[in-house]
């Protein structure tokens, strides 16, 4: 394969001119530029990105650290970031933390040595990443946090309006007539889970509804957590008639549990999730959810990063994207009469958990 020197010889220009043409870095007279491009095409020349990165102390790679690509929410975030990166000639390199802070630190420390142009992080938990981010910044590499924020974060960020989204969902349930509202939150060390709980509580406070502490259950942002915590909730007497789930994966687990208990959603229990994943359209009943655009989170984060790469030195940006409520078939007015307190019918076991089947 041809190298830069050979391209320069073919085009009868200096190596510097070839470099300027390839990097678009300085005005090169048009006829020379055309000669270089012609030589590049004839020789099918492809610059060695690693060598180029070493020369500039910076590659055209953007690092992205996320919790888990198998969680259906995150692919859209990645896709949004990658689309913006790609259309600006940057390539994305992806790392998963599994919400494990030590893995996150390993990625942060290692990625640095790949000389990325920028970094997008969905933090694994509420740990302080200031020291790590500072190291990137000193090397002229911007860092944008997305979806959740680490402790003491003062850099760029893009998040959804989690508080308002949860508030809207809860108000909707209240409007339908529910008074026994429960929530299953994500891990409360995560800023977004905490904000969603605050929105839920604000809506309850506003209408002066008492919140039974047992009606607030915390779990991981996944189906199993939702399933187990729903079993816990629906065993309580009086039983809650509506559940606001901290995300759609929790809500999917809740649907399973409701069904296993012989109850009906929404006749016995209304349910609203958060994220508005596509698969919520295909559940039975279809899932109502607070919609946040993962794709937008990704595109906005990558755009901020590109501005930084191009020299934007303005103060840190904190974008908060609006949410909306997507109502489908999982919500209805609360059941009338005392069905919710009828005696339990039979017991089963699944996943080591007691399952209580109640009459409806
Ligand atoms: O399912 C992933 C959840 O955690 C989403 O709600 C998202 O906001 C993330 O932080």
């Amino acid at each position: 394969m041809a190298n830069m020197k050979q391209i320069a010889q073919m085009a009868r220009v200096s190596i510097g001119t070839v470099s300027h043409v390839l990097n678009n870095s300085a005005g090169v007279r048009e006829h020379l530029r055309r000669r270089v491009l012609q030589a590049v095409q004839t020789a099918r020349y492809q610059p060695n990105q690693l060598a180029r990165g070493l020369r500039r102390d910076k590659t055209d790679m953007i690092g992205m650290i996320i919790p888990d690509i198998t969680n259906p929410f995150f692919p859209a975030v990645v896709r949004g970031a990658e689309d913006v990166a790609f259309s600006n000639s940057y390539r994305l390199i992806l790392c998963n933390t599994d919400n494990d802070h030590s893995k996150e630190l390993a990625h942060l420390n290692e990625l640095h040595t790949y000389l990325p142009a920028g970094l997008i992080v969905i933090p694994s938990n509420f740990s302080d990443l200031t020291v790590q981010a500072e190291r990137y910044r000193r090397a002229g590499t911007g860092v944008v946090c997305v979806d959740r924020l680490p402790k003491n974060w003062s850099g760029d960020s893009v998040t959804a309006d989690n508080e308002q989204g949860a508030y809207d969902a809860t108000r909707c349930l209240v409007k339908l007539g529910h008074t026994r509202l429960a929530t299953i939150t994500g891990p409360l060390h995560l800023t977004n889970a905490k904000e969603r709980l605050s929105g839920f509580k604000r809506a309850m406070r506003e209408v002066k509804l008492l919140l039974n502490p047992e009606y607030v259950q915390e779990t991981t942002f996944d189906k199993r957590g939702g399933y187990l915590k729903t079993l816990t909730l629906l065993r309580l007497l009086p039983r809650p008639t509506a559940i606001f789930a901290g995300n759609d994966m929790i809500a999917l687990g809740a649907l399973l549990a409701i069904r296993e208990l012989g109850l009906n959603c929404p006749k016995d229990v209304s349910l609203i999730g958060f994220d508005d994943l596509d698969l919520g359209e295909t559940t039975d009943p279809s899932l109502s959810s607070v919609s946040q655009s993962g794709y937008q989170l990704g595109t906005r984060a990558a755009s901020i990063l590109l501005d930084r790469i191009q020299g934007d030195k303005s103060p840190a940006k904190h974008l908060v994207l609006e949410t909306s409520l997507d109502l489908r078939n999982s919500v209805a007015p609360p059941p009338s009469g005392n069905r919710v307190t009828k005696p339990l019918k039979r017991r089963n076991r699944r996943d080591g958990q007691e399952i209580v089947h109640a009459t409806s």
Side-chain angles (χ1 to χ4, degrees):
M1 210 216 295
N3 58 29
M4 237 158 117
K5 193 170 165 199
Q6 287 160 327
I7 297 296
Q9 281 164 353
M10 284 169 73
R12 286 167 287 122
V13 297
S14 68
I15 293 184
T17 304
V18 175
S19 163
H20 285 315
V21 172
L22 294 178
N23 293 313
N24 241 341
S25 56
V28 175
R29 275 176 293 160
E30 189 51 26
H31 70 286
L32 296 183
R33 200 180 72 87
R34 262 199 255 122
R35 266 186 3 219
V36 171
L37 292 179
Q38 180 63 55
V40 164
Q41 209 181 6
T42 311
R44 296 212 178 106
Y45 172 71
Q46 267 203 312
N48 181 322
Q49 295 297 343
L50 284 181
R52 193 162 162 256
L54 282 175
R55 276 197 303 277
R56 296 182 315 159
D57 233 5
K58 190 85 44 224
T59 62
D60 288 339
M61 282 186 321
I62 289 181
M64 185 157 186
I65 301 179
I66 68 166
D68 179 7
I69 193 68
T70 65
N71 178 322
F73 175 71
F74 295 116
V77 188
V78 174
R79 194 54 216 252
E82 195 193 3
D83 282 355
V84 171
F86 182 79
S87 60
N88 287 276
S89 306
Y90 286 87
R91 298 291 182 270
L92 205 72
I93 175 167
L94 187 68
C95 306
N96 290 277
T97 62
D98 297 320
N99 288 308
D100 173 349
H101 182 54
S102 58
K103 219 170 156 187
E104 179 174 54
L105 287 180
H107 287 317
L108 281 165
N109 291 335
E110 185 114 335
L111 268 181
H112 189 254
T113 65
Y114 285 77
L115 309 174
L119 187 65
I120 298 174
V121 184
I122 302 181
S124 65
N125 63 16
F126 191 52
S127 300
D128 196 329
L129 300 181
T130 313
V131 174
Q132 288 74 18
E134 198 43 49
R135 188 152 151 229
Y136 279 83
R137 276 196 215 111
R138 273 202 308 274
T141 307
V143 181
V144 184
C145 279
V146 183
D147 179 38
R148 324 156 165 182
L149 299 182
K151 199 191 269 176
N152 301 323
W153 186 248
S154 57
D156 294 324
S157 66
V158 187
T159 53
D161 197 342
N162 293 296
E163 205 269 354
Q164 186 64 37
Y167 171 88
D168 292 341
T170 313
R171 281 306 295 244
C172 162
L173 293 168
V174 168
K175 227 179 184 171
L176 284 166
H178 292 275
T179 53
R180 289 200 297 272
L181 281 86
T183 184
I184 306 175
T185 75
L188 288 172
H189 59 82
L190 295 179
T191 50
N192 57 2
K194 226 185 301 179
E195 288 160 6
R196 289 171 201 175
L197 177 60
S198 307
F200 173 81
K201 284 184 170 168
R202 174 161 69 95
M204 297 283 283
R205 262 198 321 273
E206 256 184 37
V207 290
K208 304 201 167 32
L209 276 178
L210 277 186
L211 177 57
N212 177 348
E214 286 183 309
Y215 283 5
V216 178
Q217 296 286 332
E218 177 184 354
T219 185
T220 38
F221 267 139
D222 54 32
K223 198 161 78 179
R224 183 174 163 77
Y227 167 77
L228 295 175
K229 291 300 180 179
T230 303
L231 294 181
T232 305
L233 281 174
L234 297 182
R235 270 202 297 243
L236 296 171
L237 290 176
R239 199 164 62 204
T241 61
I243 299 175
F244 167 58
N247 78 346
D248 279 0
M249 295 310 288
I250 292 178
L252 290 184
L255 274 180
L256 275 183
I258 293 168
R259 198 170 308 151
E260 282 200 17
L261 291 173
L263 297 172
N264 179 279
C265 173
K267 249 171 53 197
D268 301 302
V269 191
S270 284
L271 181 65
I272 300 185
F274 200 111
D275 285 346
D276 201 15
L277 299 177
D278 285 347
L279 47 84
E281 281 169 358
T282 57
T283 53
D284 182 19
S286 55
L287 183 64
S288 303
S289 186
V290 178
S291 180
Q292 65 162 337
S293 169
Y295 188 80
Q296 288 266 338
L297 287 175
T299 57
R300 304 303 284 269
S303 302
I304 292 180
L305 206 51
L306 284 164
D307 288 347
R308 296 297 184 202
I309 292 170
Q310 278 146 25
D312 178 1
K313 297 256 182 307
S314 61
K317 296 174 185 167
H318 304 288
L319 273 189
V320 179
L321 305 184
E322 271 181 19
T323 60
S324 59
L325 186 56
D326 214 338
L327 285 182
R328 299 202 185 90
N329 296 331
S330 64
V331 291
S336 50
N338 64 352
R339 306 166 34 189
V340 290
T341 54
K342 272 195 176 169
L344 305 171
K345 210 161 109 192
R346 60 181 194 271
R347 286 155 187 264
N348 270 350
R349 284 194 169 264
R350 177 186 150 147
D351 290 337
Q353 276 287 315
E354 188 183 48
I355 299 183
V356 178
H357 286 258
T359 53
S360 58

